Amino acid sequence: MSWILPALGAILGLVAGSFLAALALRWPRGQSVMRGRSACDACGHRLGVVDLLPVFGHLLRRGRCAYCGAPIDRRHLLIELACGGIGLVSLLAAPGLEGLCGAMFGWLLVALIALDVDHFWLPDELVAALAVVGVGAGLAGIAPPMADRLIGGLAGFAGLAVIAILYRVTRGRTGMGGGDPKLLGAIGLTLGWQALPLVLLGGASVGLALLGVRRLRGDSIRADQEVPLGALMAVVAWPLWLVAAMA
C-alpha cells in the first residue's frame, strides 16, 4: 500500500499544476483564473471536461485546441508535469504531512519560476503563500525547528535587501528586484537559515551555467545582463528540501 500516498501526491500535483499554469499564463495579462469558466486563449471557446484534464487532455488533443486548432501553450504541459512529479517524489520521500508541505512548497516555486523567467515578476501573493507553508510546517512540528525557520526568514530577506540597497547606492541603479529578498526570506522559513548559503550558491551556479551555455551558442552576454535571480534560487530550493527530507 506504500504507493497510495505518492500516487495521490502525483494526482494532487497535476491538479495544482493545471491551476498554477493557468495562473502563470493569465495573471500577467490581467485575466482572472478565479472567475468564469476556462476558455481557449486563441478562440475563446469554453473548454470541455477532456480539455481540462491535466496532461492527458493535452495529449488527447495532440497539443491543439479541439475547436479552432490553435496550438496550446506548452507551458501548461510543462508546469503540470513538474507539479505532478513534485507531488509524487515529495510523498515518496516523506509520506504524510511533511511530504504534503514539501509538495506545496515545490508547487508554489514552480509558479514563481514561470513568472520570473517570463516576466521578471515575483508576485507578493505567491511569495506570501510560500511563507505561510513554511510557518505552517514549523507550527506542525516539522523540522527544521521554528527558531531556525524564523532566523532563516529574517536573514534571507535582510541579507538580499541590504545587498540591493548597497548596489543601488554605489552604482546608482537598481540591480535587484524587490521580490528577490522576499522570496529568499520565504525560502528561509521553510528550509531554515542553514540552507540559505546553499540556495544562493546553487542559484548563482545555475545562472552562470546558463549564461555559459548561451555564450557557447554565440549569444551576446552583457556585463549588466538581467537574470531571474528568484527563479534561480527557486530551482535549487526544492531539491534542498528533498535532500533534507530524505536524510
Side-chain angles (χ1 to χ4, degrees):
M1 302 294 286
S2 60
W3 58 268
I4 293 180
L5 281 178
L8 181 59
I11 294 171
L12 290 175
L14 291 176
V15 174
S18 180
F19 172 78
L20 291 172
L23 180 145
L25 293 173
R26 296 177 186 175
W27 197 357
R29 300 197 296 256
Q31 299 173 345
S32 173
V33 295
M34 304 301 294
R35 296 190 300 271
R37 293 185 58 183
S38 297
C40 171
D41 293 329
C43 67
H45 195 288
R46 287 185 177 182
L47 301 180
V49 175
V50 173
D51 306 301
L52 295 173
L53 289 174
V55 177
F56 299 104
H58 190 282
L59 297 177
L60 289 171
R61 298 303 193 194
R62 298 184 179 181
R64 292 187 173 275
C65 173
Y67 310 101
C68 68
I72 300 171
D73 195 315
R74 288 192 176 183
R75 286 173 292 182
H76 279 285
L77 180 62
L78 294 175
I79 292 174
E80 290 169 1
L81 286 172
C83 289
I86 286 172
L88 173 68
V89 175
S90 294
L91 287 169
L92 271 174
L97 183 59
E98 181 182 1
L100 181 59
C101 289
M104 294 171 64
F105 178 62
W107 297 337
L108 289 168
L109 288 174
V110 168
L112 287 163
I113 290 169
L115 287 166
D116 200 28
V117 167
D118 289 338
H119 305 285
F120 292 98
W121 182 36
L122 298 169
D124 287 344
E125 293 86 347
L126 286 183
V127 176
L130 198 70
V132 168
V133 170
V135 173
L139 291 174
I142 297 170
M146 181 61 83
D148 290 352
R149 293 173 182 268
L150 294 177
I151 294 172
L154 179 60
F157 173 77
L160 279 192
V162 168
I163 292 174
I165 292 171
L166 290 176
Y167 185 92
R168 186 167 61 247
V169 170
T170 57
R171 301 296 295 272
R173 64 174 185 266
T174 299
M176 183 186 303
D180 295 321
K182 299 174 187 175
L183 176 58
L184 187 58
I187 291 173
L189 287 171
T190 295
L191 301 182
W193 64 268
Q194 299 91 337
L196 294 181
L198 293 176
V199 173
L200 290 172
L201 179 61
S205 299
V206 172
L208 289 173
L210 292 175
L211 289 175
V213 170
R214 290 187 57 186
R215 187 66 177 267
L216 290 174
R217 291 168 49 188
D219 296 340
S220 61
I221 305 296
R222 306 187 313 273
D224 59 349
Q225 183 77 41
E226 189 174 12
V227 295
L229 176 60
L232 296 173
M233 294 189 298
V235 163
V236 300
W238 184 79
L240 287 173
W241 172 87
L242 181 61
V243 170
M246 296 176 64

